[in-house]
Amino acid sequence: MALKSFPIWGCVKTPRSQMGVSDLGSRISGFGLSLRYDLEKTRKWECCCLVALAHKATTPLEDEKPQLSDADSSKGIEGTQGNEPRGLHKDLNYLPKPLTASKLSCFPNDGAKVRVAYQGLPGAYSEAAALKAYPKCETVPCDEAEAIFKAVELWLVDRAVLPIESSVGGSVHRNYDLLLRHRLHIVGEVQLQVNHCLLGLPGARIKELKRVFSHPQALAQCEMILSDLGIHRISSDDTAGAAQMIASIGKRENGAIASAQAAAIYGLNILSENIQDDDDNITRFLILAREPIIPGTDKPYKTSVVFTLEEGPGVLFKALAVFALREINLTKIESRPQLQQPLRVVDDANEGNAKYFDYLFYIDFEASMAEPRAQYALGHLQEFSRFLRVLGSYPMDANL
């Protein structure tokens, strides 16, 4: 994996260069050496310290993982010899089951590619979004959205993809709430063209189908053809799970709505392609990571924020005006009611308290946090808001 550099944004209490000089001074005094060092020797020692510190600053991310307890470390070193870890590479087709939020098993990382968690089974649209963002990544299925957040937080994976809205079905409200309950950062987005396929067992025909399984949103997006066929609809957790289900049941009267990739994985035939009501069926996914990226100005960027407002007439108008005054285009605004419902909001130390908010406003706008106008806009917004968090500033995805 390529090395990553980190900016120092108020996170380091003592500069590394000062640490090197102080350590040098303590060593000189500790050895009782004479203070009469010539200038050339002093520069040589100082240079050595700085080179060592610079080398340390370029350590890959994989080396900076949390230390495990004695019990955990004893489990982690089973099957290893000496100090050389033995990488256990698992093919997705041989995964025993998806990760769960309550019980997550650690997958070793060979460091050759990024590990990306997604919700669903192999063949899900979320997996396709992960592969679009990282074509050579190793995808890790999880059984629910909560599990992909925990997988990133526990260093089991490097990234996660999360569906956030659909051009047909609208916003995924549950995932908006999870963004606030966890402390992950949005580092990118993926817009995926969704083409639903009607799948059946080998040799089955459309007129034989009596039941069709799929995710509720997929069923709703294919309402017209299902009504014409008069097929009974049965909801499942995800589209790939529906394909796996009818393959395991083995009845020709069952069908599923899923991707073409799911048909190939589970040995099903595609009875009909592109059966969605709207041809422009696009789902937007967010890419999540433990650390934010450094926004730039070399390409179009998008910034996502969440905030609450004081009660009063015209407060929302004033909040939105801070963007209009600076000619910042808003691409999305979503409100989530939280009346009489405590919401746990975490801080920088990943500690949170229950707070009550009437409404939470999620806004996406076309600007980078590296631009002064975006910084001024959020500074102005803080005058009206009781709570404000930047969820991420990341490059826009314009490729469909």
Side-chain angles (χ1 to χ4, degrees):
M1 180 176 290
L3 300 183
K4 302 182 180 179
S5 60
F6 295 87
I8 303 178
W9 281 3
C11 297
V12 181
K13 296 182 179 179
T14 306
R16 289 182 181 267
S17 61
Q18 294 182 9
M19 291 173 60
V21 174
S22 63
D23 291 343
L24 176 62
S26 62
R27 291 168 184 169
I28 293 174
S29 60
F31 283 107
L33 298 179
S34 173
L35 296 178
R36 299 181 59 185
Y37 278 83
D38 61 276
L39 183 59
E40 294 299 324
K41 291 183 178 181
T42 304
R43 289 178 179 175
K44 186 178 299 183
W45 276 98
E46 186 172 324
C47 180
C48 292
C49 293
L50 295 177
V51 168
L53 291 172
H55 176 71
K56 184 178 180 180
T58 58
T59 304
L61 278 177
E62 284 72 21
D63 296 335
E64 299 179 2
K65 298 186 177 180
Q67 296 182 353
L68 300 176
S69 62
D70 294 338
D72 294 337
S73 60
S74 62
K75 296 179 181 179
I77 61 176
E78 288 183 4
T80 61
Q81 297 179 356
N83 295 326
E84 297 180 1
R86 183 179 61 186
L88 178 60
H89 180 75
K90 292 186 178 180
D91 190 278
L92 279 180
N93 295 330
Y94 296 97
L95 289 176
K97 60 181 180 178
L99 297 176
T100 62
S102 58
K103 183 178 180 180
L104 292 170
S105 60
C106 183
F107 290 85
N109 191 344
D110 59 8
K113 51 189 175 180
V114 178
R115 293 168 57 84
V116 183
Y118 68 93
Q119 181 183 3
L121 295 177
Y125 292 109
S126 294
E127 184 186 35
L131 293 173
K132 180 183 177 183
Y134 304 99
K136 295 183 180 181
C137 72
E138 178 184 353
T139 55
V140 179
C142 301
D143 70 332
E144 56 186 17
E146 182 77 24
I148 71 173
F149 280 86
K150 290 189 176 182
V152 179
E153 292 171 342
L154 296 177
W155 294 77
L156 302 181
V157 296
D158 306 298
R159 298 285 189 271
V161 291
L162 183 74
I164 201 65
E165 63 177 327
S166 169
S167 59
V168 177
S171 300
V172 185
H173 297 134
R174 169 61 176 169
N175 291 345
Y176 270 106
D177 295 338
L178 290 175
L179 286 175
L180 195 60
R181 293 180 182 275
H182 295 267
R183 196 64 187 180
L184 298 184
H185 303 270
I186 304 175
V187 297
E189 67 173 358
V190 176
Q191 298 196 61
L192 184 69
Q193 180 79 39
V194 175
N195 295 319
H196 291 305
C197 299
L198 182 60
L199 310 182
L201 294 178
R205 293 177 295 179
I206 293 181
K207 63 180 182 181
E208 297 181 80
L209 299 181
K210 296 181 180 179
R211 292 176 294 273
V212 63
F213 297 81
S214 193
H215 189 273
Q217 284 199 3
L219 295 173
Q221 294 170 8
C222 304
E223 177 68 26
M224 293 178 61
I225 188 173
L226 294 179
S227 298
D228 294 340
L229 296 175
I231 302 177
H232 180 62
R233 306 162 184 80
I234 300 178
S235 299
S236 61
D237 293 336
D238 63 278
T239 56
Q244 184 192 54
M245 182 182 302
I246 69 166
S248 60
I249 294 176
K251 293 184 178 180
R252 295 163 62 96
E253 60 188 18
N254 295 330
I257 296 177
S259 65
Q261 180 65 20
I265 292 175
Y266 302 107
L268 302 174
N269 285 353
I270 299 177
L271 306 180
S272 182
E273 294 185 83
N274 300 328
I275 63 174
Q276 60 271 10
D277 300 339
D278 191 347
D279 292 335
D280 296 328
N281 187 10
I282 300 172
T283 299
R284 177 171 170 250
F285 296 82
L286 299 178
I287 304 174
L288 307 177
R290 288 178 293 273
E291 300 294 337
I293 62 173
I294 302 175
T297 57
D298 57 331
K299 60 182 70 175
Y301 271 75
K302 182 181 292 185
T303 300
S304 300
V305 299
V306 57
F307 61 92
T308 60
L309 297 172
E310 298 286 350
E311 296 183 3
V315 178
L316 179 58
F317 170 79
K318 295 177 182 178
L320 300 181
V322 305
F323 301 100
L325 290 173
R326 295 166 179 86
E327 298 183 350
I328 297 178
N329 182 41
L330 301 182
T331 59
K332 183 176 180 62
I333 177 171
E334 180 81 19
S335 62
R336 295 287 294 136
Q338 293 293 333
L339 187 62
Q340 300 301 322
Q341 294 183 11
L343 185 64
R344 179 179 175 269
V345 180
V346 297
D347 54 18
D348 292 331
N350 204 27
E351 298 177 354
N353 299 317
K355 298 182 180 180
Y356 291 87
F357 300 121
D358 290 336
Y359 279 92
L360 292 165
F361 297 95
Y362 293 85
I363 283 184
D364 297 339
F365 60 86
E366 294 180 345
S368 169
M369 283 304 299
E371 300 180 54
R373 60 171 183 162
Q375 300 172 13
Y376 294 148
L378 294 188
H380 195 178
L381 180 60
Q382 284 185 318
E383 299 178 7
F384 313 106
S385 62
R386 292 189 295 168
F387 165 78
L388 172 64
R389 180 193 293 178
V390 178
L391 299 174
S393 188
Y394 46 91
M396 298 173 56
D397 180 21
N399 300 321
L400 293 178

